[in-house]
Amino acid sequence: MADTHLFEIDGSVLEGGGQILRMALCFSVLTKTPVRIRNIRQGRKKPGLAAQHLAGVELMRDICQGRLYKACLGSTEIEFYPGHIEHGRFVGHIQTAGSITLLLQATLPVAIFSSGPVTLDLRGGTNTDLAPQVDFLTEIFRPNMERFGASFDFDLIRRGYFPKGGGQCVIEVRPVQSLRPVTMVDVGSVTRFFGWSYVAGVLPLKIAHEMSSGAKSILNQIANSRADIEVYKESMDMAPEGNCSGIIIGCETSTGAILGGSALGEARKKGFQSGEEAAHEIQSAISVGACVDRHVQDMMIILMALADGTSRIRTEPLTMHTKTAIYVTELMTKAKFNIIEGNGSAIIECVGIGLRNINLPKNTTSY
């Protein structure tokens, strides 16, 4: 279906991956702008829509009762015409171990501007490579999102690992009237470290202990705070298929900042090393006074852009994901970003567009 009024987006720029697709669709729905996205995932070994991306665009279509054209596995171009953001229950079924968290990242901003409660039933991989683990999203990203005045409830039904997937999460989202801006420029001092180190399947518990020890060896260098890391083996009920190990750690500071680090275990890598890698992510952020870690950094861009006012967040130097997020945001909205760099850190300033939830009755109590 050809349409000269479509907003054209080149999916090959900057990061050149699925992030451009996810953000473009999100802004398409929120600003009611039909889009044509070309060169989808051109920067990847296998360009075009993989199972995870196809499930994501179909889920977005369903939530807003939109129209979607040319979307199939391997598609490098799609056309998307958004409709009205609905409330109710929506299913996103990836069919592979593709990441559930990337589906949630894409749909959360749309769901919080819906006309009523939204239930997302997401199925696929919960703890996978090249994407946040679900625990990172709930324990590290969610508290950061709540500063803007929005949140979600999360029920983990079953974990899914590479290569089979089979995980399931049910997320409940309550809509808001608008998002408030945030100022996060003073990280303060570390008050506590917390986390989870786990194994599943046939892997021995000692791997989880090794990951915990590796993380603590680095965390002890950051601050003199005890690291409370729970070490456990997933039950067969929660993780019926596949083997996996991983660690998610968090850091809370005196100003309320929540930073995180995570790693998945690898067959060719000692557990101790994986734990060290996760803790290094927190160490890296703290060392320059960042108030969010490098993974949450790009997730904040869309929230800053939608907020009603000016937000300022001190971060580590911008990642390519963050540069891409800013590029797509400025392309599709009137939000303006300013980056102030110095002393190894960056302050991201954004004048948000103050998006109002026209779908929600005015007397509704939001989060």
Side-chain angles (χ1 to χ4, degrees):
M1 176 174 174
D3 190 330
T4 54
H5 300 296
L6 286 167
F7 192 91
E8 298 270 351
I9 294 167
D10 184 350
S12 69
V13 298
L14 293 168
E15 190 259 343
Q19 183 194 21
I20 297 174
L21 172 75
R22 288 187 292 272
M23 291 195 69
L25 289 179
C26 186
F27 284 127
S28 168
V29 176
L30 293 173
T31 64
K32 301 193 181 309
T33 306
V35 292
R36 177 187 291 118
I37 307 170
R38 297 175 291 106
N39 301 323
I40 293 171
R41 298 182 68 244
Q42 207 63 45
R44 297 296 179 259
K45 280 183 186 170
K46 285 178 70 175
L49 298 178
Q52 171 227 114
H53 309 98
L54 181 59
V57 297
E58 290 176 343
L59 178 60
M60 199 73 91
R61 173 200 63 196
D62 294 346
I63 291 175
C64 75
Q65 307 298 297
R67 290 176 291 135
L68 177 64
Y69 299 92
K70 305 182 185 177
C72 59
L73 285 176
S75 293
T76 56
E77 180 179 313
I78 63 167
E79 293 179 6
F80 184 77
Y81 298 80
H84 178 76
I85 305 172
E86 298 290 337
H87 62 275
R89 187 180 189 90
F90 304 96
V91 178
H93 195 173
I94 299 174
Q95 313 279 352
T96 69
S99 172
I100 283 174
T101 57
L102 294 179
L103 279 193
L104 183 56
Q105 259 186 21
T107 49
L108 256 181
V110 169
I112 61 178
F113 284 95
S114 65
S115 55
V118 170
T119 300
L120 299 170
D121 182 343
L122 307 181
R123 305 174 191 193
T126 58
N127 302 74
T128 59
D129 203 12
L130 303 176
Q133 299 185 59
V134 288
D135 319 75
F136 185 92
L137 221 62
T138 59
E139 307 310 314
I140 308 299
F141 169 68
R142 181 167 52 181
N144 282 292
M145 178 182 179
E146 286 171 352
R147 286 174 171 258
F148 292 87
S151 191
F152 58 92
D153 293 326
F154 185 91
D155 189 11
L156 180 61
I157 311 298
R158 197 168 46 253
R159 290 194 183 270
Y161 307 126
F162 183 82
K164 288 190 175 179
Q168 183 181 8
C169 306
V170 176
I171 296 97
E172 305 280 350
V173 186
R174 297 179 297 283
V176 299
Q177 295 281 5
S178 63
L179 296 177
R180 57 178 177 256
V182 303
T183 299
M184 301 165 62
V185 292
D186 178 13
V187 73
S189 56
V190 173
T191 55
R192 71 182 184 113
F193 295 114
F194 58 94
W196 299 266
S197 183
Y198 67 90
V199 292
V202 300
L203 298 180
L205 189 61
K206 74 169 190 176
I207 293 175
H209 281 291
E210 288 169 3
M211 287 191 293
S212 174
S213 297
K216 287 177 179 177
S217 73
I218 303 299
L219 298 177
N220 289 339
Q221 298 172 28
I222 303 172
N224 198 19
S225 296
R226 185 170 159 269
D228 183 16
I229 300 176
E230 181 186 348
V231 175
Y232 69 100
K233 186 178 180 89
E234 286 287 3
S235 70
M236 284 301 292
D237 290 343
M238 183 57 78
E241 291 191 90
N243 305 313
C244 190
S245 65
I247 184 168
I248 299 94
I249 46 182
C251 169
E252 188 172 359
T253 77
S254 57
T255 58
I258 303 282
L259 304 111
S262 61
L264 285 174
E266 295 177 35
R268 281 161 277 154
K269 189 185 292 178
K270 286 186 164 53
F272 193 88
Q273 201 178 339
S274 295
E276 285 181 318
E277 284 177 10
H280 275 308
E281 294 183 348
I282 292 176
Q283 185 181 46
S284 176
I286 291 287
S287 69
V288 298
C291 296
V292 296
D293 59 74
R294 68 185 69 159
H295 300 296
V296 168
Q297 183 189 101
D298 68 275
M299 298 184 212
M300 301 296 265
I301 298 303
I302 193 164
L303 300 173
M304 295 172 81
L306 298 175
D308 189 10
T310 301
S311 295
R312 298 177 80 238
I313 300 177
R314 187 183 298 278
T315 71
E316 291 180 79
L318 271 56
T319 64
M320 183 55 78
H321 270 99
T322 300
K323 290 175 182 176
T324 304
I326 290 173
Y327 168 79
V328 177
T329 301
E330 290 192 329
L331 192 67
M332 295 194 68
T333 75
K334 291 188 170 66
K336 288 283 173 267
F337 286 85
N338 180 37
I339 312 300
I340 304 161
E341 294 177 301
N343 298 324
S345 70
I347 292 179
I348 304 173
E349 287 184 341
C350 175
V351 182
I353 63 173
L355 187 69
R356 297 280 161 184
N357 190 346
I358 58 171
N359 304 304
L360 200 60
K362 285 205 164 45
N363 59 356
T364 305
T365 302
S366 58
Y367 165 75

